[in-house]
Amino acid sequence: MNNNDTTAVLSPISEPAVAETTEAQPVQTSVATQTAKPATDKAGKPAPEKKRSGRLSDAKRFKIFCGSANRALSEEVCKFVGVPLGETKMQRFSDGEVYFQLLENVRGADVFVIQPTSFPVDQHLVELLIMIDALKRASAGRITVVIPYYGYARQDRKDRPRVAISSKLVADLLTTAGANRALLVDLHAAQIQGFFNIPVDHLFASPVLVGHFREMKLPNLTVVSPDAGGVERARFFAKKMEAPLAIVDKRREDINVSEVMHVIGDVKGRTCLILDDIIDTAGTLVKTVDALIAQGALEVYACASHPVLSGPAVERIAASPLKQLVVTNTIPLQEAAKKVDKIKVLSIAGLLGRAIESIHMETSVSTLFN
């Protein structure tokens, strides 16, 4: 490859590791009809048999790599589990094609690849597929894709004529590329797990969010689901918070366009906490806040796992009467959002780290939900 054909490096370039040296093995020539004789030393005695070491480095058997989508989260996870982030080389050709190379041995290793498919979604998805392919061709023992934010999840059924089911397509792409297992966080719809033909572990960010709001001790709290699709998620959250549940009846006119109809449940004189999985343009969020305040809510907070925050989202949140928006770092927060004081980010590195340890040690992941 000509060095002039590449552009900016997306991840740090490290010098390739020096190849491991092995002891030279005696060359044996044999003929089909000739019987092999046992090796002897100079005294004519049988040479002692060389045995391989029974010890294997833990670091060699357990490796974590990441793409360019959320390196900061990957480094946090590695720090939590005590495993160094794997060395890779990622560049782009002048036309945008991805060039990826592993800079360390992964043969037989249990490998985890951390890469949310956030904006730019197509770019990060292709990066992930190429990384999986490289690991497969390098003879990794098992490849687990850790996708904190699963892109294309919102198209999970045919709700209109002649539309794609993109969440199923992405699942097929990951499996075909060579993934053996998937670790996902707060899917838009739980049934997406069934789109995979490999084992899937589905984590929820709710333990992190619940812990935060318990410490706040909000008075007269009511948990609110912004639509009917999120009722199950909100009901679980409300149970953990020991709070009643309210639901907003919402009709979606088009993609990123919704209209709040009315609030189901008593929110008058109460503190409301809106729970959602994704906040994209924040149109639904600000309309829900307005509807709750119109129904007599005193204060409105909101939380979500994935802060997509595209288009006018940041401006809408900043201008709304929303008291605070709490999100996790499944997706890196854009610079404009970092300047808004009412947006707070919680880390899920510990949650992912414990799940990765459980998968590697073949122990139960479900205990993380308790």
Side-chain angles (χ1 to χ4, degrees):
M1 182 183 70
N2 193 330
N3 290 334
N4 295 329
D5 292 338
T6 59
T7 54
V9 180
L10 291 181
S11 60
I13 301 178
S14 304
E15 292 297 328
V18 179
E20 297 178 359
T21 57
T22 56
E23 296 182 0
Q25 301 294 327
V27 178
Q28 296 182 354
T29 57
S30 60
V31 182
T33 57
Q34 185 177 0
T35 304
K37 297 181 179 179
T40 58
D41 59 14
K42 293 181 179 179
K45 297 180 180 180
E49 182 183 354
K50 293 183 178 181
K51 296 183 178 180
R52 294 181 182 271
S53 172
R55 297 180 59 188
L56 286 174
S57 168
D58 289 338
K60 184 177 180 181
R61 309 305 302 172
F62 177 29
K63 294 179 180 288
I64 298 177
F65 294 92
C66 75
S68 65
N70 197 345
R71 187 177 180 87
L73 174 60
S74 304
E75 290 173 346
E76 276 192 66
V77 172
C78 288
K79 184 178 180 180
F80 180 87
V81 300
V83 174
L85 188 60
E87 295 184 5
T88 62
K89 179 179 180 181
M90 185 177 290
Q91 294 177 312
R92 287 192 175 271
F93 294 96
S94 59
D95 65 350
E97 288 184 8
V98 177
Y99 171 83
F100 177 79
Q101 180 186 11
L102 295 162
L103 298 182
E104 54 186 83
N105 179 31
V106 296
R107 186 177 296 274
D110 190 9
V111 177
F112 296 83
V113 186
I114 303 176
Q115 175 85 331
T117 51
S118 52
F119 178 83
V121 183
D122 301 346
Q123 174 179 308
H124 289 148
L125 176 59
V126 172
E127 276 184 18
L128 178 57
L129 295 173
I130 291 176
M131 291 172 69
I132 295 170
D133 185 72
L135 289 164
K136 179 180 67 175
R137 297 178 188 278
S139 300
R142 181 175 66 175
I143 304 169
T144 301
V145 288
V146 182
I147 309 179
Y149 172 66
Y150 185 74
Y152 287 109
R154 284 172 283 186
Q155 299 178 74
D156 59 355
R157 64 193 184 281
K158 286 194 68 173
D159 55 351
R160 297 181 183 182
R162 300 173 296 281
V163 296
I165 304 180
S166 60
S167 52
K168 167 61 175 171
L169 172 63
V170 172
D172 288 342
L173 288 172
L174 294 169
T175 306
T176 302
N180 304 116
R181 193 179 191 98
L183 176 61
L184 312 173
V185 179
D186 269 324
L187 287 168
H188 187 61
Q191 64 265 25
I192 293 176
Q193 298 173 77
F195 293 170
F196 287 83
N197 294 322
I198 56 177
V200 173
D201 290 296
H202 185 201
L203 296 181
F204 300 94
S206 54
V208 177
L209 297 171
V210 166
H212 172 76
F213 284 104
R214 277 179 176 170
E215 291 178 359
M216 292 183 67
K217 298 180 180 179
L218 298 174
N220 300 319
L221 181 66
T222 295
V223 176
V224 180
S225 174
D227 53 36
V231 171
E232 184 179 356
R233 183 186 305 110
R235 182 182 292 115
F236 175 83
F237 199 93
K239 183 178 179 181
K240 292 292 183 181
M241 295 295 297
E242 298 180 350
L245 176 67
I247 304 168
V248 173
D249 180 20
K250 179 187 73 174
R251 178 181 299 167
R252 185 169 294 282
E253 303 294 339
D254 202 350
I255 58 172
N256 296 129
V257 178
S258 63
E259 178 185 353
V260 173
M261 302 300 289
H262 60 274
V263 178
I264 304 172
D266 184 18
V267 298
K268 186 175 181 180
R270 301 187 66 84
T271 302
C272 292
L273 172 59
I274 303 169
L275 175 68
D276 212 345
D277 61 328
I278 300 171
I279 296 180
D280 191 354
T281 62
T284 297
L285 175 63
V286 297
K287 289 180 180 179
T288 303
V289 172
D290 293 339
L292 292 171
I293 291 178
Q295 293 292 322
L298 296 180
E299 290 184 333
V300 181
Y301 294 78
C303 62
S305 304
H306 311 302
V308 176
L309 302 181
S310 64
V314 176
E315 291 79 7
R316 285 174 172 174
I317 292 169
S320 76
L322 182 69
K323 192 74 174 179
Q324 186 183 60
L325 170 62
V326 180
V327 296
T328 72
N329 60 344
T330 58
I331 300 173
L333 205 62
Q334 54 179 285
E335 291 301 320
K338 292 178 182 179
K339 299 176 182 178
V340 180
D341 293 336
K342 66 174 65 176
I343 299 178
K344 181 179 178 61
V345 182
L346 304 178
S347 177
I348 62 163
L351 181 67
L352 287 177
R354 287 190 290 270
I356 288 173
E357 288 177 335
S358 294
I359 293 171
H360 176 63
M361 299 301 294
E362 304 291 346
T363 59
S364 175
V365 177
S366 62
T367 56
L368 301 178
F369 305 141
N370 296 330

